[in-house]
Amino acid sequence: MIAKSVTITPGQNSGFSLIELMIALVIGLIVVLAITQAFLTSENRRRTIISDNDAQTGGMLTLYMVEREIRNSGFGLPNTSALGCTVHASFGGSLSDPGTFPLAPVTISASADGITDQVLALSGTNGAMPLPVRLISPFAAGDGAINVGVNYFFGPKQLSILADPANPADCTMVEITDKGVDLNHAFAGASPWNQNNAIYPAAPFPTGSYVFNMGALSLKRFFVNPADSTLRVTETANTVQGTSSTTRALATGVVGFKGRYVFDGSGLSGPQHLVAVKLAIVSRGSHAERSTAVDGSCNTTLNLPKWSDGTTLPIPQSSPDWKCYRYKVSETTVSLRNRVWNLP
């Protein structure tokens, strides 16, 4: 085989010319720009989906937890004539711990920030004694024995509320420490819940007053902590040693929490006529959306969230980036089944 020789003519160069390199560079930049734009679009879309999912999931789960407690509220409070009084309770001698609260299945009040609401749900845990009993003799401050019609279902470490329907302004809470060997005595002896006799009204509870045996009691206050946008619950019970209340976080990303009363058709208000409550929770995603405006301002949310009837739901607007987030409203109506079953 004869090898062929290749002759390179002087001046003949191999490779790309400068113009070809410039054209290739421009094409490459265009491709990179297109890929970058596609990536940014995909990333923005991903953030939007995650933000929507976080807000929707968080709002629905939070609403479910609050709704479950409200459905159980009112158990152990079947007598409507005693509803509405202010319960005075103390722990360890402190009148502010846990303080006063209404004798009502559900109480809605404004929070300190004036934006969100607090929802207080009250129920008993003593399934054996859902009905109240009556005093057969007066009960005054400092008395250690509560004389009742029957004490079958009273026992140690049960919280009881005494209320006089004829004087509905004030009622009081004591802890039952034991019951007598006969059928007519329950004792409110030494206990952190019974240290401050000032919680009793000045006049004794007269014969015929009601005694609601609430068992361990369940008093839960739901509220939003604006510092970290968490929905929290403070639970008052006599099942925790050394304290009357514990507070824990339920959900993050909650910026709005409002409630409304639903009364019966009598035209009257008050706990005696309360049959349901409406709740709305405003949640937002954990990630802020990127601005698409030329000046860099956020325009993801331009209008405040609303109830289903169009009423505005307030949310904190102190932070300049509040418009950068997506918000979801979770709304429901909760029937107070224990209250409805006890309607006269």
Side-chain angles (χ1 to χ4, degrees):
M1 178 179 293
I2 301 174
K4 297 178 63 177
S5 60
V6 179
T7 303
I8 300 177
T9 306
Q12 182 179 358
N13 296 322
S14 61
F16 297 101
S17 65
L18 179 60
I19 296 178
E20 291 173 331
L21 289 175
M22 293 180 65
I23 294 174
L25 182 60
V26 170
I27 294 175
L29 289 175
I30 294 175
V31 172
V32 170
L33 180 62
I35 294 175
T36 302
Q37 185 63 37
F39 172 78
L40 291 177
T41 301
S42 175
E43 178 66 13
N44 288 338
R45 183 60 179 168
R46 184 187 71 85
R47 291 171 66 92
T48 299
I49 294 175
I50 292 177
S51 180
D52 281 348
N53 287 341
D54 287 347
Q56 185 170 0
T57 302
M60 293 180 63
L61 289 176
T62 303
L63 193 63
Y64 169 75
M65 289 186 286
V66 179
E67 180 181 357
R68 180 182 59 185
E69 296 299 331
I70 291 179
R71 289 195 185 280
N72 292 328
S73 66
F75 182 77
L77 302 174
N79 189 282
T80 59
S81 62
L83 295 181
C85 68
T86 299
V87 180
H88 297 261
S90 71
F91 184 86
S94 172
L95 290 174
S96 60
D97 181 17
T100 60
F101 56 89
L103 185 63
V106 177
T107 304
I108 302 171
S109 59
S111 296
D113 59 10
I115 299 176
T116 58
D117 284 342
Q118 297 183 19
V119 175
L120 190 69
L122 173 64
S123 64
T125 60
N126 185 13
M129 188 61 183
L131 298 175
V133 296
R134 288 182 178 268
L135 293 178
I136 59 175
S137 65
F139 179 78
D143 288 350
I146 304 176
N147 299 320
V148 294
V150 60
N151 66 358
Y152 283 138
F153 302 106
F154 285 89
K157 295 189 177 299
Q158 293 179 335
L159 293 177
S160 294
I161 297 176
L162 286 81
D164 178 12
N167 182 22
D170 297 292
C171 41
T172 194
M173 187 166 72
V174 298
E175 184 178 45
I176 303 299
T177 55
D178 203 353
K179 66 178 181 179
V181 293
D182 57 27
L183 299 179
N184 304 120
H185 288 87
F187 297 101
S191 162
W193 295 93
N194 301 335
Q195 288 183 13
N196 197 325
N197 289 333
I199 64 174
Y200 303 120
F205 284 96
T207 299
S209 297
Y210 289 107
V211 181
F212 296 89
N213 185 9
M214 306 298 289
L217 189 123
S218 177
L219 180 66
K220 296 184 178 181
R221 179 173 64 94
F222 298 92
F223 64 98
V224 173
N225 181 25
D228 56 4
S229 299
T230 59
L231 182 75
R232 301 189 176 192
V233 58
T234 297
E235 181 175 8
T236 299
N238 62 345
T239 55
V240 182
Q241 296 296 322
T243 183
S244 70
S245 304
T246 55
T247 300
R248 66 183 188 276
L250 291 180
T252 60
V254 178
V255 296
F257 184 43
K258 300 293 287 185
R260 292 176 174 177
Y261 293 123
V262 179
F263 298 105
D264 56 24
S266 64
L268 301 175
S269 60
Q272 293 86 354
H273 305 278
L274 181 64
V275 295
V277 293
K278 290 184 177 181
L279 297 174
I281 289 179
V282 183
S283 54
R284 76 179 189 184
S286 56
H287 301 288
E289 298 282 325
R290 288 191 175 93
S291 174
T292 59
V294 177
D295 59 358
S297 61
C298 293
N299 56 5
T300 301
T301 297
L302 299 178
N303 299 313
L304 293 175
K306 299 179 183 297
W307 287 86
S308 58
D309 62 4
T311 306
T312 298
L313 282 165
I315 59 174
Q317 303 176 50
S318 57
S319 175
D321 65 345
W322 72 272
K323 294 183 179 180
C324 302
Y325 292 87
R326 293 182 179 273
Y327 300 85
K328 293 290 184 180
V329 177
S330 302
E331 182 180 341
T332 188
T333 299
V334 187
S335 175
L336 304 185
R337 58 185 181 186
N338 294 307
R339 174 70 190 90
V340 173
W341 289 342
N342 295 318
L343 284 174

